[in-house]
Amino acid sequence: MIPFNKPHITGKEVHHIYGAVATGHISGNGSYTKKCQKYFEERWGFKKALLTTSCTDALEMSALLLNIKPGDEVILPSYTFVSTALAFVREGAVLRFVDSSADHPGIDEVKVEELISDKTKAIVVVHYAGVACDMDKIMALSDKYNIAVVEDAAQAIDSFYKGKPLGSIGHLGCFSFHETKNIQCGEGGLLSINDKRFIKRAEIIWEKGTNRAEFFRGEVNKYGWVDTGSSFLPGEVTAAFLWAQLEEVDKIQKRRIDIWNRYHAGLTDWCKENGVGQPFVPDYATVNGHMYYLICPDIEFRTKMIKILQDNNIKAVFHYLSLHSSPYYQSKHDGRKLPQSDKYSNCLIRLPLFHDLPHQNKIISTIKNII
Ligand SMILES: *Cc1c(COP(=O)(O)O)cnc(C)c1O
C-alpha cells in the first residue's frame, strides 16, 4: 500500500536528541530551542519566533495576545482545520466564516470586508496547501479598520507572497511541525511575531504567565506571575528533533516540490479532458510542495476515485468538512450559505505526497485509467 503520508526522517534526529540529553537541560527554552528560533528569524525574517508544542498552541497564544473576549468577532475561512477556529472559540469569540474562493480553497478575500463590524478583533487567513492568500488585500483591510491579522501558516513553511515569506506578513503567524507537514517533529509548532508590540507579552504567555524569559536574560532580578498564559513551549528533545529537519530543509523542500511538479504536469491533460480541477497558483504565490490535490466534478466522482485508487493500493484522501456546518458550530453559525467551501468539502481529493514517495508514475497512470 502506498500510504497518503509517511513522515520523513533525515537520520540526524537521534544524534541531536542525544546532544540535547547530554547538555542536561531537557525542559524547554534550551540551546536547541534557541538554535531553531534563531534559524526561523534569520531565514524567514520573523521579528521573533517562539517554538510551541503545536500550531494549535500557536493559534491559542494568538487569541490570548489579541485579548479575545466573549462576544468579539473573528473572521476566518470555513474550509480549514478545527484548530484555526477552536483557539478563538475557547476565548468566547463569535466566528464569522468566509467562503472559499472559486479558484482555490483559500479564503475569498473579496468577501471579508462585508463581515467587518465594530466587534471584529481579528482576521485569520489560512494559506491552504502552502499557497498564499492575497495578503495585500487582507493587510489593507487590517490598516483601514485597525484589525489584527493572524496567518495560519501551518502548511506554509518556506512559501512566499510577492517574495515575502508566509508567516512574516500578518501581525502573527502560526506554523505546524506535525508529522504530516513538510518539516516535522511529531507534534510541534511555531508562533512568528511580526509586530514588535507583541514580543514581550508573547514570551510571558509562552512561559505560564511568568517573566521567566526576561529573568534568564538578566533583565529583571526575580521572576513571578505577571499575566495569563500556559505551558506552550516544547521540551528540548522535540527542538533537537526539529533542528535535524531544519538542517535539511532545502533538500526536503526540493524533493516535495519535484513530486508536486510531476503530478501537475503528468495529470494536466487528463484533468482537462475529464473536468477535474488542478491547483490554482496565483502569480503572487509560490508552491512549497506541501500538498497535491485535485477538484473532482462531484462527490460521486471523488468517492469512485478514492475507491479505485484504494483497490490499486494507493491511499488518497479527502480533506476538511466545512466548519460552518460542523456539529459543534452549526447552530451558532449565522446561517449564510458558503457554497465554495462545501464544494471543496465534497470534491477535493489529496494524493500521496511525502519525501520518499515510491511509484509516482504508477499513481499517475492509475488515475489516468479511472476514465
Ligand atoms: C495541521 C494544521 C493545523 C494544526 O496543527 P497542529 O500542529 O497539529 O496543531 C492548523 N491549521 C492548519 C491549516 C493545519 O493544516
Side-chain angles (χ1 to χ4, degrees):
M1 188 79 187
I2 301 175
F4 169 67
N5 178 57
K6 183 168 163 273
H8 174 60
I9 306 292
T10 69
K12 292 283 278 301
E13 286 81 359
V14 174
H15 168 78
H16 286 307
I17 288 170
Y18 187 86
V21 173
T23 66
H25 176 141
I26 46 179
S27 61
N29 204 8
S31 57
Y32 276 103
T33 297
K34 293 194 170 88
K35 253 159 97 139
C36 290
Q37 290 179 173
K38 186 159 176 271
Y39 188 93
F40 284 112
E41 288 161 10
E42 286 175 359
R43 171 142 185 184
W44 289 293
F46 311 135
K47 290 218 174 66
K48 180 74 194 166
L50 291 174
L51 291 192
T52 57
T53 59
S54 64
C55 180
T56 304
D57 266 7
L59 288 158
E60 287 176 6
M61 283 186 71
S62 303
L64 294 178
L65 277 167
L66 297 176
N67 279 321
I68 302 294
K69 295 277 176 284
D72 289 345
E73 294 182 3
V74 171
I75 296 174
L76 75 170
S78 177
Y79 193 73
T80 183
F81 190 60
V82 174
S83 302
T84 321
L86 183 58
F88 297 90
V89 166
R90 290 176 88 234
E91 305 303 320
V94 173
L95 305 178
R96 301 285 280 151
F97 287 115
V98 188
D99 208 358
S100 296
S101 160
D103 299 333
H104 61 83
I107 198 167
D108 187 342
E109 298 87 355
V110 176
K111 299 206 175 108
V112 173
E113 188 164 14
E114 64 203 47
L115 296 177
I116 293 176
S117 78
D118 53 13
K119 291 190 186 146
T120 309
K121 286 288 278 293
I123 301 171
V124 187
V125 296
V126 180
H127 303 300
Y128 187 79
V131 175
C133 302
D134 193 341
M135 290 307 290
D136 282 351
K137 286 209 182 94
I138 299 294
M139 297 316 290
L141 293 174
S142 163
D143 289 344
K144 183 169 166 191
Y145 295 98
N146 192 25
I147 297 169
V149 171
V150 179
E151 296 178 72
D152 181 338
Q155 307 172 7
I157 192 76
D158 198 38
S159 202
F160 298 84
Y161 171 77
K162 297 186 179 171
K164 290 182 215 158
L166 299 186
S168 76
I169 305 167
H171 299 79
L172 301 165
C174 304
F175 289 88
S176 174
F177 309 120
H178 184 264
E179 69 167 31
T180 50
K181 305 301 192 314
N182 292 25
I183 307 296
Q184 60 96 17
C185 54
E187 302 276 358
L190 177 83
L191 178 70
S192 58
I193 302 154
N194 307 308
D195 182 331
K196 281 201 270 250
R197 287 174 302 176
F198 291 116
I199 294 177
K200 191 172 163 205
R201 190 158 176 251
E203 283 185 328
I204 290 169
I205 287 174
W206 189 56
E207 290 237 50
K208 303 107 182 161
T210 72
N211 54 350
R212 202 164 177 268
E214 279 178 291
F215 174 72
F216 280 112
R217 280 198 300 264
E219 293 165 14
V220 290
N221 53 19
K222 55 178 192 236
Y223 81 83
W225 183 17
V226 296
D227 203 336
T228 186
S230 190
S231 185
F232 287 116
L233 71 175
E236 280 291 288
V237 169
T238 296
F241 191 115
L242 186 64
W243 180 250
Q245 299 262 315
L246 283 176
E247 283 183 322
E248 299 218 346
V249 59
D250 290 316
K251 203 170 131 198
I252 292 169
Q253 290 301 94
K254 182 179 181 312
R255 174 92 183 119
R256 295 188 72 111
I257 293 167
D258 284 349
I259 295 171
W260 195 100
N261 286 332
R262 232 173 286 136
Y263 273 136
H264 204 61
L267 290 169
T268 300
D269 292 344
W270 180 82
C271 284
K272 281 206 182 104
E273 284 156 23
N274 296 290
V276 174
Q278 287 187 289
F280 170 69
V281 183
D283 289 341
Y284 53 67
T286 55
V287 163
N288 73 342
H290 174 64
M291 181 200 301
Y292 197 82
Y293 66 82
L294 298 172
I295 312 294
C296 299
D298 52 43
I299 193 166
E300 290 76 23
F301 190 111
R302 183 179 74 178
T303 306
K304 181 176 148 197
M305 190 165 171
I306 290 175
K307 166 91 173 49
I308 291 173
L309 288 170
Q310 177 85 29
D311 292 344
N312 283 276
N313 295 317
I314 299 162
K315 188 77 186 165
V317 296
F318 54 85
H319 210 186
Y320 306 128
L321 302 171
S322 298
L323 295 182
H324 72 280
S325 42
S326 61
Y328 186 68
Y329 211 81
Q330 189 170 36
S331 61
K332 304 182 207 35
H333 174 60
D334 54 37
R336 281 171 304 114
K337 297 225 177 321
L338 304 173
Q340 295 300 333
S341 179
D342 291 340
K343 175 184 85 181
Y344 297 110
S345 292
N346 289 332
C347 303
L348 187 144
I349 180 173
R350 295 179 292 159
L351 305 181
L353 201 171
F354 51 91
H355 193 276
D356 309 303
L357 180 70
H359 314 305
Q360 194 182 3
N361 290 339
K362 180 193 148 185
I363 301 173
I364 293 173
S365 61
T366 306
I367 292 172
K368 286 177 163 173
N369 282 328
I370 289 174
I371 298 177

